[in-house]
Amino acid sequence: MRITEHSRLKDFNTFGIDAHADCIVEWSSVQELQAILPELDRPILPIGQGSNLLFMNDFHGTILKSAIQSVDILHKSDDHVLVRAGSGVIWDDFVSLAVMKGWWGVENLTAIPGQVGAAAVQNIGAYGVEAKDVIETVQTVCLADGSTRDFNVSECGYAYRQSIFKKELNHQYAVSHVIFDLGLKPAPKLGYGALEQEVMRLGEPTLNNISSAVRNIRDSKLPDPAILGNAGSFFMNPVIPSSQYESLKSKYPDIPSYTAGNDMVKVPAGWLIDHAGWKGRALGPAAVYERQALVLVNTGGATGQDIKALADAIIADVREKYSITLSTEVNYI
């Protein structure tokens, strides 16, 4: 366990916001966390790599960061393998391990920043796959009393970039481990045209080629947080009624969409932001990334308030132009 008081948070969030926390506790086991919980100042905020957070001010409380790095096979059959990963495992390292071992299910989620625990909280997703598709159980520690609780995937309240840990149980549990149900037989998911094209360019739809294709696409569109502070996609893709989409399409014939079921349509937020004229624009030290309109960046010295001001301006403009209200994927702290 490592405890740091009055610590800078710049290295604990990918936006590079230079806020401070009263205390940061990095814990390496459930027992360590249970032992220290009664002594911690409240409020308590569990984080991963800080890849989906925007600190608006200094945090007056305790930041919890998991350092549990274990990855264990719990059960293996002819078709599936149950794998338990520590919440502190870097997500992309877990994906790379799965690809190397021949475990199918997370290859489309290559190169997403963050840790395993945060992936389960956020229900990360990309190229037609979400974390909920492969999660079997989320193992947690209650921050109120230190008790442990296992949440079956059906209890996690998963939806598009949502979970019970972001809503009803927000900041009430720290994730210790996540159990994944992964496949042992080829099951490529290439529903997105750009992904299929890149995989075919590399060859057959193998685990390695799918993972490499996703990495190539993401690298071409998304900035490295170590060079340009960002949190990946800042906005969620809005889901609107089909009737509203048809009305928009009559005005904007090239507006893309994806079927969302129940007579609803998902519209790419990046397209809306780009066609509203925001790609590459800046407000002070906060800007919209020139290659991907979904990404807001810290060009140097931006505060959380600077990033939020840009996001608010984009939301207002998109609402005025398209009658669609964007929601943020990034969590304001």
Side-chain angles (χ1 to χ4, degrees):
M1 180 184 298
R2 184 167 68 174
I3 301 174
T4 309
E5 296 184 352
H6 310 296
S7 179
R8 294 179 69 184
L9 289 168
K10 190 171 184 178
D11 294 333
F12 289 84
N13 72 100
T14 58
F15 257 119
I17 302 298
D18 198 13
H20 292 75
D22 291 348
C23 182
I24 298 176
V25 174
E26 297 176 75
W27 51 288
S28 300
S29 71
V30 169
Q31 293 73 24
E32 280 190 354
L33 179 57
Q34 289 172 322
I36 195 69
L37 270 176
E39 303 175 25
L40 299 182
D41 291 336
R42 310 285 164 148
I44 298 175
L45 174 66
I47 68 169
Q49 280 190 301
S51 58
N52 212 47
L53 303 177
L54 181 63
F55 285 102
M56 305 303 296
N57 301 288
D58 290 341
F59 186 77
H60 296 295
T62 302
I63 300 286
L64 284 182
K65 183 174 174 63
S66 170
I68 300 179
Q69 298 292 323
S70 57
V71 178
D72 303 298
I73 294 176
L74 300 183
H75 178 74
K76 195 172 185 179
S77 67
D78 291 339
D79 298 332
H80 290 267
V81 58
L82 282 183
V83 182
R84 187 173 83 150
S87 53
V89 174
I90 300 300
W91 174 258
D92 197 41
D93 290 348
F94 177 69
V95 174
S96 297
L97 177 66
V99 170
M100 182 183 71
K101 293 286 190 180
W103 302 337
W104 287 81
V106 293
E107 60 279 357
N108 288 36
L109 306 179
T110 294
I112 295 179
Q115 294 181 332
V116 163
V121 170
Q122 180 69 9
N123 188 26
I124 60 172
Y127 300 105
V129 175
E130 292 181 314
K132 70 174 179 62
D133 300 331
V134 290
I135 287 175
E136 199 247 17
T137 305
V138 179
Q139 299 184 314
T140 69
V141 177
C142 177
L143 300 181
D145 60 15
S147 61
T148 59
R149 178 176 173 184
D150 290 359
F151 289 84
N152 183 277
V153 65
S154 63
E155 299 176 297
C156 292
Y158 282 131
Y160 175 52
R161 302 300 181 271
Q162 289 292 343
S163 74
I164 196 172
F165 308 110
K166 289 183 66 177
K167 297 185 290 185
E168 298 96 320
L169 301 181
N170 189 32
H171 303 163
Q172 294 183 39
Y173 287 83
V175 177
S176 63
H177 301 83
V178 182
I179 299 175
F180 296 93
D181 183 359
L182 303 177
L184 294 176
K185 294 186 176 180
K189 294 185 178 180
L190 304 176
Y192 281 70
L195 176 58
E196 184 176 20
Q197 292 170 15
E198 181 63 10
V199 170
M200 294 302 106
R201 186 185 72 80
L202 294 174
E204 296 297 314
T206 63
L207 274 172
N208 274 310
N209 284 345
I210 294 171
S211 180
S212 295
V214 172
R215 193 177 303 279
N216 292 344
I217 294 170
R218 290 182 68 88
D219 286 349
S220 71
K221 297 193 300 182
L222 303 176
D224 183 348
I227 299 172
L228 196 60
N230 73 93
S233 298
F234 196 93
F235 300 97
M236 293 190 285
N237 294 321
V239 177
I240 62 175
S242 298
S243 58
Q244 183 181 0
Y245 172 73
E246 292 302 327
S247 177
L248 283 171
K249 192 171 179 62
S250 67
K251 300 177 184 177
Y252 310 99
D254 60 340
I255 184 171
S257 68
Y258 304 96
T259 301
N262 299 319
D263 203 30
M264 302 293 284
V265 171
K266 183 182 292 185
V267 178
W271 188 95
L272 297 172
I273 297 167
D274 185 3
H275 285 75
W278 282 96
K279 184 186 283 188
R281 286 180 59 185
L283 290 181
V288 181
Y289 190 50
E290 59 188 12
R291 295 185 194 174
Q292 172 54 267
L294 267 182
V295 179
L296 305 189
V297 297
N298 175 2
T299 60
T303 65
Q305 301 291 343
D306 292 328
I307 303 293
K308 183 177 182 298
L310 174 60
D312 288 347
I314 292 169
I315 290 170
D317 198 24
V318 168
R319 183 189 298 119
E320 180 180 351
K321 286 183 169 68
Y322 304 108
S323 298
I324 293 175
T325 301
L326 296 178
S327 298
T328 62
E329 186 170 326
V330 170
N331 303 303
Y332 296 167
I333 305 297

